[in-house]
Amino acid sequence: QGRLELKMVTTWPRDFPGLGTGAQNQANLIGGLSGGRIKVRLFAAGEMVKAFESFDAVARGDADMYHAADYYWQGRHKAYNFFTSVPMGMTALELDAWIRFGGGQALWDELSGQFGIKPFLAGNTGVQMGGWFRNPIRSLDDMKQLKMRIPGLGGEVIKRLGGEAITLPGGELPAALANGKINAAEWVGPYNDKAFGLHRYLKNYMFPGFQEPGTGVSLGINRQLWDGLSKTDKTIIQAAATASNNLMLAEYNANNGDALADLRWNEGVKLHIVPRDDWSEIAKVSRA
């Protein structure tokens, strides 16, 4: 009867605001647009596979799709960064335009096709904050003291400035801060950072964020499965991804301001702007 039950794995905790709920919204939209004929069963990080094993699970066909940030796969190919975000790169609206009308989707298809995956843009968290620090960054020398959770090419910039960059799934951040594995962290922005309780461990919050000006979230589908779908089902999944992309960006823009105000006035968080000279050097290293 053309019914499908698909397994989606994610790199996010279940029901985590914006990202976890974004994955569930994606699953619900596919189900709703298909009239219930396509059912997507969601497995949050760790429920079926570990967060960073989502890519391999879909490539192998153990899962049918993932909901993630593709720069987590930079170990497969550095180009994956460009379909999430790169330092001093595109904003959410620019990324959207490039993927859909600037040739980005064709490049992404070529890249992911090597691994048996069909990718779609399925969300964006917007511009990110610079991160949380035990002590505010006053000069580039302070960078050398960092053991910072920061993925993607942003992590490469921190390394070149003398710090240590560590990639961790979001769900592991609180424990890593509590046990001293890291002494700084960037995650997303006020809406998500507050939900993880990062302000309980660090009180210095810096901006702007050089590392991710507009962070794309992706839906990756097993290519063999995708190729076997009807034109109607492909259209449904693609339309659901487009709708999810718009919904997620709106959710972050709607909630970041209130969360930031609460962190400042009720949680004792101190805001600091990155010094201009340091910003210029960060930009130079980012371009390199």
Side-chain angles (χ1 to χ4, degrees), residues 110-159:
E110 180 183 348
L111 173 63
S112 289
Q114 299 174 44
F115 304 101
I117 289 173
K118 168 65 178 177
F120 287 106
L121 199 59
N124 202 296
T125 62
V127 65
Q128 296 199 358
M129 292 286 279
W132 298 84
F133 299 85
R134 200 167 302 285
N135 298 300
I137 301 299
R138 301 296 190 193
S139 71
L140 289 176
D141 284 342
D142 294 336
M143 294 280 194
K144 299 174 183 177
Q145 310 302 318
L146 295 181
K147 292 190 294 180
M148 185 174 185
R149 184 273 175 193
I150 179 170
L153 293 183
E156 182 65 26
V157 172
I158 294 297
K159 289 178 185 177

Side-chain angles (χ1 to χ4, degrees), residues 14 40-41 48 86 108 142 216 234-236 244-245 257 286:
R14 180 171 290 277
V40 179
R41 187 179 177 192
M48 181 177 173
V86 297
W108 203 2
D142 294 336
K234 288 180 178 179
T235 301
I236 286 169
S244 297
N245 184 66
S286 296

Side-chain angles (χ1 to χ4, degrees), residues 136-275:
I137 301 299
R138 301 296 190 193
S139 71
L140 289 176
D141 284 342
D142 294 336
M143 294 280 194
K144 299 174 183 177
Q145 310 302 318
L146 295 181
K147 292 190 294 180
M148 185 174 185
R149 184 273 175 193
I150 179 170
L153 293 183
E156 182 65 26
V157 172
I158 294 297
K159 289 178 185 177
R160 294 190 185 196
L161 291 171
E164 182 179 355
I166 300 169
T167 300
L168 292 171
E172 296 180 19
L173 271 177
L177 287 168
N179 63 27
K181 182 177 182 179
I182 56 177
N183 60 17
E186 67 82 43
W187 175 236
V188 179
Y191 178 45
N192 272 176
D193 295 1
K194 179 187 169 190
F196 264 149
L198 301 186
H199 57 283
R200 299 191 185 104
Y201 305 94
L202 302 170
K203 292 295 185 182
N204 293 293
Y205 204 17
M206 299 203 68
F207 74 97
F210 76 91
Q211 72 282 6
E212 297 177 41
T215 309
V217 174
S218 54
L219 179 71
I221 304 170
N222 177 274
R223 188 62 195 239
Q224 186 173 354
L225 168 70
W226 174 258
D227 288 343
L229 293 175
S230 68
K231 184 177 180 180
T232 297
D233 288 350
K234 288 180 178 179
T235 301
I236 286 169
I237 291 172
Q238 187 169 4
T242 300
S244 297
N245 184 66
N246 295 341
L247 281 171
M248 185 182 291
L249 183 59
E251 182 175 353
Y252 278 89
N253 285 336
N255 289 289
N256 272 329
D258 288 344
L260 182 59
D262 186 54
L263 288 169
R264 288 187 71 189
W265 307 122
N266 299 321
E267 300 293 346
V269 170
K270 297 178 181 178
L271 285 180
H272 306 272
I273 191 166
V274 178

